[in-house]
Amino acid sequence: AQSVTQLGSHVSVSEGALVLLRCNYSSSVPPYLFWYVQYPNQGLQLLLKYTSAATLVKGINGFEAEFKKSETSFHLTKPSAHMSDAAEYFCAVSTGSGGGADGLTFGKGTHLIIQP
Amino acid sequence: NAGVTQTPKFRVLKTGQSMTLLCAQDMNHEYMYWYRQDPGMGLRLIHYSVGEGTTAKGEVPDGYNVSRLKKQNFLLGLESAAPSQTSVYFCASSFDPGLAGAYTDTQYFGPGTRLTVL
């Protein structure tokens, strides 16, 4: 069984500052890892994913994440926050076996607040 | 491509009433999923389907039924709604078997259905 822990239900940063959202996972097999973003009253949009290729993954809107097996982490970063980054962010894991057919396991989410 | 669409967008039910939520996708995806999203809980998988005519239980299946009679549609039913089923429901799909080299795990989400049970 797999699980995801997102540290911090709310994170507040100033516009232009570094964004760091933390995600730790637990999986009995090599995982596939995802970050999704949800803007108010919308569905989830894929930001980036790790599927056992490069450990540093670049996504949309300037975000990137690094897979660290030794730390079982997949933290999301962005060098300079923009007001439009304010949203809910979800980390998710799938085992990658069976084509991910049995769904994703999500963390509880981190609400990112951008201070002007 | 419309992607993943959900009907209706909003619904209010009284306790004991029944309803069906419809999810449709036009991406030739084999796999489809229903999740519910509650404050502070993230998304939890209700049921899923790995192909037409097949369904399986997820993490929180009680009180829900599903059907996948056509590849492009996935229906979620509530036979007797309860206030605990007040939530936002998301449908997702993944895996186009005709797309060479496709990663099967990326899920594409619909806009959600906000359901309130009084």
Side-chain angles (χ1 to χ4, degrees):
Chain A
Q2 59 266 32
S3 65
V4 173
T5 301
Q6 291 183 239
L7 296 177
S9 59
H10 291 77
V11 170
S12 180
V13 302
S14 298
E15 190 175 17
L18 172 71
V19 174
L20 171 60
L21 303 182
R22 300 177 186 274
C23 173
N24 289 88
Y25 70 91
S26 171
S27 177
S28 58
V29 297
Y32 286 5
L33 293 158
F34 304 80
W35 276 99
Y36 281 87
V37 61
Q38 183 182 33
Y39 298 103
N41 299 313
Q42 294 187 25
L44 278 70
Q45 178 183 359
L46 181 69
L47 271 178
L48 49 80
K49 62 185 177 186
Y50 166 78
T51 55
S52 76
T55 57
L56 182 62
V57 181
K58 294 188 184 299
I60 63 172
N61 301 338
F63 284 94
E64 63 181 36
E66 186 173 9
F67 172 70
K68 292 187 176 181
K69 184 178 179 180
S70 61
E71 299 178 7
T72 61
S73 69
F74 190 57
H75 301 331
L76 182 70
T77 60
K78 182 174 180 178
S80 178
H82 191 273
M83 295 299 291
S84 61
D85 295 327
E88 190 84 15
Y89 292 79
F90 293 96
C91 182
V93 64
S94 111
T95 61
S97 59
D102 52 354
L104 299 177
T105 299
F106 284 86
K108 294 184 177 181
T110 297
H111 186 65
L112 178 63
I113 301 162
I114 310 297
Q115 303 282 2
Chain B
N1 278 357
V4 179
T5 58
Q6 293 182 231
T7 309
K9 289 184 170 54
F10 302 92
R11 186 72 186 267
V12 178
L13 291 178
K14 295 181 179 179
T15 296
Q17 288 184 318
S18 64
M19 78 162 294
T20 300
L21 281 66
L22 171 64
C23 175
Q25 53 92 6
D26 61 0
M27 296 177 283
N28 194 37
H29 284 169
E30 287 290 335
Y31 305 157
M32 296 187 74
Y33 311 84
W34 277 107
Y35 294 89
R36 60 177 289 172
Q37 182 181 27
D38 302 292
M41 299 294 290
L43 278 77
R44 293 180 291 168
L45 184 64
I46 304 171
H47 286 279
Y48 63 98
S49 167
V50 299
E52 183 178 315
T54 71
T55 63
K57 294 180 179 179
E59 180 186 353
V60 288
D62 293 343
Y64 305 96
N65 57 75
V66 288
S67 64
R68 182 102 181 266
L69 298 180
K70 294 183 178 180
K71 182 177 180 177
Q72 64 267 34
N73 295 338
F74 195 28
L75 278 62
L76 177 71
L78 287 73
E79 289 187 349
S80 180
S84 61
Q85 294 177 304
T86 293
S87 187
V88 181
Y89 293 86
F90 287 100
C91 177
S93 70
S94 68
F95 185 41
D96 175 1
L99 194 60
Y103 293 108
T104 60
D105 297 67
T106 300
Q107 296 188 8
Y108 296 85
F109 284 80
T113 295
R114 188 173 295 274
L115 175 66
T116 301
V117 183
L118 302 175

